[in-house]
Amino acid sequence: MAAADNNSNSNSHSHSNSNSSSKPKIATGSAGYVLEDVPHLTDYIPHLPTYSNPLQDNPAYSVVKQYFVNVDDTVAQKIVVHKNSPRGTHFRRAGPRQRVYFESDDVHACIVTCGGLCPGLNTVIREIVCGLHHMYGVKKVLGIDGGYRGFYARNTVPLTPKVVNDIHKRGGTILGTSRGGHDTSKIVDSIQDRGINQVYIIGGDGTQKGASVIFEEIRRRGLKVAVAGIPKTIDNDIPVIDKSFGFDTAVEEAQRAINAAHVESESFENGIGVVKLMGRYSGFIAMHATLASRDVDCCLIPESPFYLEGPGGLFEFIEKRLRENGHMVLVIAEGAGQDLLSESIQSLDKQDASGNKLLQDVGLWISQKIKDHFSKQNKMVINLKYIDPTYMIRAIPSNASDNVYCTLLAQSAVHGAMAGYTGFTVGPVNGRHSYIPFYRIIEKQNNVVITDRMWARLLSSTNQPSFLSAKDIIEDMKEEELSTQMVDEMKYSVDNLEKKVISYTC
């Protein structure tokens, strides 16, 4: 198979050259088919030789039928369609190819972890090392110590299957991590000086932005270096992919904090348990942990505004629930209520080294607000316990589900790099692992849609008010490009608004 075949450049609108940023590779087909393809080494280094994939001689795969992915296999982004719908956007399917662009002895790979901790980091590291070694016979793999700045300011760690054998049983990352430290020229100089030709970058949206810049600089220099990203965010806020690794583990571990809050609140008269969970901009952990627990009375997330006082407010709901049950549990995501918080506390509007806005501690703030409200009312004496399990959750090893998922991510990244693909992030799209261009991963964040069925399920489970005005609902529906007819229906009756929200979303 020729090198060009593996890259599937037919009908491509890409006009790459070594002096400008690469443009999206868009291939079109019949019936509205669109392929958002990923870059390939042959885009800027023509006539590269190809080699037979060592997997065809691997006894572990000798019994697998059609193990190699067809060069034309793609994965649809949307699978719920109408009979006359266009076929829509697709991504290149991940997996091993019959022809590869690296000889095993020539591969010098490196792995770097960046940003905050997340369950599963060590599993991904282990499976990249073992995948390269056992599937492709690659012996030279380096670990970059301490995030991006480790490329030029720290030592490297030689990685072998023996070194990484048990690391999946530990939390954190054996390579160390950091925020910031991205100096593109120094990083690519280090890659070039060390003779590295495969770079595996594990991190969130900020890290993937950095990976995209590294890829562009490598491409500009015309280096035969494959850059593969593995998306990591415990908040599950990376778009396109089904979910990020570590999320399942985080939701499972959050149950322990919620259970503790429930026991505490249930054991005291008018007990209130407040649990703050991760979710800077996206409330997926709080939402899923609430649904899994069934002990939560109210869940507050960044995507759903709320207010404290007045009819239909949070304080009124807390009083109602305490009168009914004698106790309640409140789960709040760290990014929820920041607008209310900034009104009462001077907002410094600072950022961390990764460019994330430094948030005020909404858990402590809302706990104090609840205490102040009930002390002023003199209606009832409350007993409030506040639990923040954030760093306990981040630091644990991944569970069985995430371990399997991390293995698939790591092996898919290895297959892609060996096949000559570069400038991509790997992840499942509708259950099928795919190679996704960096720009699709970093263009926006994945958020909870509060007009979606999942949020309706939560409201039904907790029986909490939606805290939304008619204006909020209408604006959210417009953002989701819902029909004018639906918007008019929501305008029709403010009095019956909450029932309409549940009715619409279900």
Side-chain angles (χ1 to χ4, degrees):
M1 183 180 295
D5 293 338
N6 222 13
N7 197 29
S8 188
N9 279 325
S10 59
N11 295 326
S12 174
H13 302 325
S14 174
H15 303 288
S16 300
N17 62 68
S18 59
N19 297 316
S20 63
S21 295
S22 59
K23 297 178 181 178
K25 291 175 63 177
I26 309 295
T28 57
S30 60
Y33 172 90
V34 177
L35 169 63
E36 294 197 24
D37 207 352
V38 295
H40 195 272
L41 292 173
T42 55
D43 293 345
Y44 61 92
I45 309 177
H47 313 303
L48 281 175
T50 63
Y51 312 95
S52 296
N53 193 321
L55 280 175
Q56 66 186 20
D57 301 319
N58 189 319
Y61 299 97
S62 60
V63 297
V64 180
K65 292 183 179 179
Q66 295 182 330
Y67 183 71
F68 295 115
V69 173
N70 188 290
V71 294
D72 292 324
D73 280 0
T74 57
V75 178
Q77 184 175 11
K78 289 187 177 181
I79 56 173
V80 179
V81 296
H82 299 278
K83 62 180 181 180
N84 295 323
S85 298
R87 293 173 65 191
T89 300
H90 292 66
F91 300 105
R92 190 163 291 282
R93 185 183 175 191
R97 269 58 178 174
Q98 283 186 314
R99 309 292 294 179
V100 296
Y101 283 77
F102 293 93
E103 285 195 285
S104 301
D105 293 340
D106 295 337
V107 174
H108 191 187
C110 75
I111 306 169
V112 63
T113 53
C114 306
L117 294 183
C118 176
L121 280 169
N122 279 334
T123 307
V124 175
I125 295 168
R126 181 189 191 279
E127 295 309 319
I128 291 174
V129 174
C130 292
L132 283 167
H133 188 277
H134 297 310
M135 293 191 294
Y136 289 98
V138 173
K139 303 296 192 293
K140 292 180 288 185
V141 184
L142 284 179
I144 305 299
D145 186 16
Y148 275 137
R149 60 171 50 89
F151 276 102
Y152 54 86
R154 302 287 286 275
N155 295 325
T156 58
V157 182
L159 298 176
T160 64
K162 185 176 181 180
V163 169
V164 301
N165 185 51
D166 291 328
I167 65 172
H168 62 292
K169 299 174 184 176
R170 301 181 229 159
T173 163
I174 62 160
L175 300 180
T177 185
S178 64
R179 297 188 185 277
H182 191 281
D183 187 316
T184 308
S185 295
K186 287 183 178 179
I187 291 171
V188 179
D189 286 346
S190 174
I191 290 169
Q192 197 167 0
D193 293 344
R194 296 176 191 273
I196 292 169
N197 52 19
Q198 289 185 11
V199 182
Y200 297 93
I201 301 174
I202 310 168
D205 55 350
T207 301
Q208 300 302 314
K209 287 177 185 175
S212 178
V213 175
I214 291 171
F215 157 68
E216 292 292 352
E217 177 62 18
I218 285 172
R219 181 185 162 280
R220 190 188 67 79
R221 298 189 190 186
L223 305 177
K224 186 188 175 184
V225 179
V227 180
I230 294 95
K232 174 229 66 171
T233 166
I234 203 167
D235 293 347
N236 197 38
D237 59 2
I238 288 181
V240 182
I241 64 173
D242 297 344
K243 66 177 178 180
S244 50
F245 75 82
F247 174 71
D248 278 356
T249 305
V251 171
E252 187 175 300
E253 187 68 11
Q255 301 301 297
R256 295 177 62 187
I258 293 173
N259 289 342
H262 183 245
V263 170
E264 284 284 352
S265 65
E266 206 174 27
S267 300
F268 291 89
E269 184 180 5
N270 295 324
I272 300 175
V274 177
V275 180
K276 186 185 79 171
L277 296 176
M278 289 154 293
R280 181 178 293 273
Y281 305 112
S282 303
F284 287 103
I285 292 179
M287 180 175 72
H288 283 258
T290 295
L291 280 167
S293 168
R294 304 293 177 181
D295 287 331
V296 179
D297 297 280
C298 186
C299 177
L300 303 174
I301 62 173
E303 295 89 338
S304 182
F306 65 93
Y307 54 97
L308 300 177
E309 300 181 17
L314 180 62
F315 292 155
E316 182 183 83
F317 177 69
I318 293 175
E319 289 180 27
K320 175 175 176 285
R321 192 50 60 92
L322 289 177
R323 283 194 300 269
E324 291 172 349
N325 299 336
H327 66 275
M328 79 165 289
V329 175
L330 170 71
V331 168
I332 185 165
E334 62 180 320
Q338 291 295 317
D339 53 337
L340 299 176
L341 195 56
S342 60
E343 291 174 10
S344 57
I345 302 176
Q346 186 177 2
S347 179
L348 302 177
D349 202 27
K350 292 182 178 179
Q351 294 181 333
D352 64 17
S354 295
N356 299 314
K357 184 179 178 181
L358 288 174
L359 302 178
Q360 305 282 357
D361 191 330
V362 71
L364 285 173
W365 172 80
I366 202 164
S367 297
Q368 191 59 50
K369 281 288 186 181
I370 293 170
K371 290 177 182 178
D372 292 345
H373 171 77
F374 281 96
S375 65
K376 288 176 185 176
Q377 295 291 321
N378 287 323
K379 289 182 180 179
M380 60 178 75
V381 177
I382 64 165
N383 196 307
L384 187 145
K385 299 294 194 299
Y386 171 54
I387 299 174
D388 179 0
T390 298
Y391 293 103
M392 293 173 62
I393 293 174
R394 286 171 21 137
I396 65 171
S398 53
N399 64 11
S401 172
D402 271 323
N403 267 336
V404 174
Y405 181 28
C406 289
T407 301
L408 297 178
L409 285 172
Q411 292 188 1
S412 294
V414 168
H415 291 317
M418 291 298 296
Y421 294 111
T422 181
F424 68 87
T425 296
V426 66
V429 178
N430 295 316
R432 295 285 186 177
H433 282 250
S434 310
Y435 299 136
I436 305 159
F438 278 138
Y439 69 86
R440 286 301 307 272
I441 293 294
I442 62 181
E443 65 184 354
K444 64 178 182 179
Q445 287 181 315
N446 187 32
N447 297 111
V448 174
V449 179
I450 59 172
T451 53
D452 198 13
R453 288 187 180 91
M454 189 60 83
W455 185 244
R457 292 181 184 113
L458 181 139
L459 296 179
S460 177
S461 171
T462 62
N463 289 314
Q464 70 187 63
S466 66
F467 300 114
L468 294 176
S469 66
K471 182 181 176 184
D472 292 327
I473 291 291
I474 292 165
E475 287 180 355
D476 197 83
M477 291 173 74
K478 283 180 178 177
E479 287 177 9
E480 290 300 309
E481 299 180 349
L482 297 177
S483 67
T484 305
Q485 180 184 355
M486 290 290 189
V487 176
D488 290 340
E489 285 179 11
M490 297 308 292
K491 287 179 179 177
Y492 180 74
S493 175
V494 176
D495 294 335
N496 209 19
L497 178 62
E498 188 172 321
K499 290 180 180 178
K500 279 185 172 288
V501 174
I502 301 297
S503 174
Y504 167 73
T505 52
C506 289

